[in-house]
Amino acid sequence: KAGVTQTPRYLIKTRGQQVTLSCSPISGHRSVSWYQQTPGQGLQFLFEYFSETQRNKGNFPGRFSGRQFSNSRSEMNVSTLELGDSALYLCASSPRQGNTGELFFGEGSRLTVL
Amino acid sequence: DQQVKQNSPSLSVQEGRISILNCDYTNSMFDYFLWYKKYPAEGPTFLISISSIKDKNEDGRFTVFLNKSAKHLSLHIVPSQPGDSAVYFCAANFGNEKLTFGTGTRLTIIP
């Protein structure tokens, strides 16, 4: 069974630009969550999607958005990039709604904002 | 507001000895706790979990202890092996809420 796939793995952007990250969950998993990992902050929850609907949202500004497609693939978008957005963005999938159990993480997309 | 805290950013342990990683939480609503392990350039992988109705769960070399009155959990690894060198995150949630992670502890096993 293929794992969670995230693309791109690495990218460099400049301040003010926007970026779109993609996540393909494990086949059959309908829940996709996004996390931001920065040094000293651990994994900060961004949002969770289940059946194309956002079910939960973390404390991030509106510049961070996401969506989920009918095949459960998900994208997240960050607009008007700031230096502080440099981080590893992790996607995780689960067969159930809500992060009540084990999450399966992808390898992440490392974003550098210059 | 860090609801899940891992106060030790790093820990070094001799191979073969016991590694103890600690985690404290502030939200008394949390009823499910997990540990994840992360190698560089990889996503976190699930290690072990415990429900609040238990105080101990064991899986091979890994044991998680939960002390609800102290709002504290710990992960014991016995015996520690070089492949255990990684960053360990504890996480907690309740109901259908999001998983809240700690900041991680980097464990280094010294051969």
Side-chain angles (χ1 to χ4, degrees):
Chain A
K1 201 180 220 185
V4 177
T5 305
Q6 290 188 246
T7 56
R9 290 290 313 279
Y10 302 91
L11 67 166
I12 300 173
K13 294 284 188 178
T14 56
R15 278 184 300 173
Q17 286 187 310
Q18 67 93 27
V19 66
T20 299
L21 308 177
S22 178
C23 172
S24 293
I26 290 172
S27 177
H29 285 194
R30 295 166 62 194
S31 169
V32 173
S33 299
W34 288 89
Y35 286 82
Q36 180 196 65
Q37 184 189 3
T38 53
Q41 292 294 314
L43 278 71
Q44 303 287 312
F45 175 77
L46 282 153
F47 23 67
E48 183 210 355
Y49 287 88
F50 183 85
S51 294
E52 302 177 67
T53 302
Q54 187 180 90
R55 302 288 179 169
N56 226 326
K57 190 177 189 307
N59 297 324
F60 278 81
R63 299 185 297 108
F64 292 80
S65 63
R67 58 178 176 167
Q68 187 180 34
F69 302 95
S70 58
N71 61 358
S72 295
R73 191 177 71 84
S74 176
E75 287 181 348
M76 69 161 279
N77 185 278
V78 188
S79 62
T80 320
L81 284 166
E82 300 176 0
L83 296 178
D85 297 333
S86 294
L88 180 67
Y89 290 88
L90 291 160
C91 166
S93 75
S94 168
R96 294 172 298 277
Q97 178 191 341
N99 297 337
T100 54
E102 180 183 349
L103 295 179
F104 297 83
F105 283 88
E107 293 179 321
S109 293
R110 184 165 293 283
L111 170 65
T112 302
V113 182
L114 302 176
Chain B
D1 174 30
Q2 196 70 30
Q3 296 187 61
V4 178
K5 300 176 187 178
Q6 294 177 257
N7 293 317
S8 298
S10 62
L11 174 69
S12 294
V13 174
Q14 207 77 32
E15 181 180 358
R17 307 293 291 267
I18 182 172
S19 295
I20 300 176
L21 295 100
N22 294 304
C23 180
D24 297 295
Y25 60 95
T26 57
N27 191 339
S28 56
M29 297 283 288
F30 287 145
D31 60 6
Y32 194 67
F33 305 88
L34 307 89
W35 284 93
Y36 282 80
K37 174 179 177 180
K38 185 180 185 300
Y39 293 118
E42 294 184 14
T45 54
F46 170 76
L47 198 54
I48 192 169
S49 64
I50 187 167
S51 162
S52 60
I53 62 172
K54 293 186 170 184
D55 54 20
K56 176 183 173 181
N57 188 26
E58 203 169 342
D59 183 2
R61 297 186 297 113
F62 302 92
T63 304
V64 56
F65 295 93
L66 175 62
N67 183 332
K68 288 188 289 293
S69 60
K71 295 194 180 70
H72 177 84
L73 68 154
S74 61
L75 174 68
H76 292 210
I77 307 173
V78 181
S80 299
Q81 299 174 354
D84 296 329
S85 294
V87 177
Y88 289 79
F89 292 96
C90 68
N93 77 342
F94 64 94
N96 247 6
E97 292 299 308
K98 66 186 192 312
L99 210 52
T100 300
F101 283 83
T103 52
T105 297
R106 180 178 301 279
L107 175 65
T108 302
I109 305 302
I110 305 163

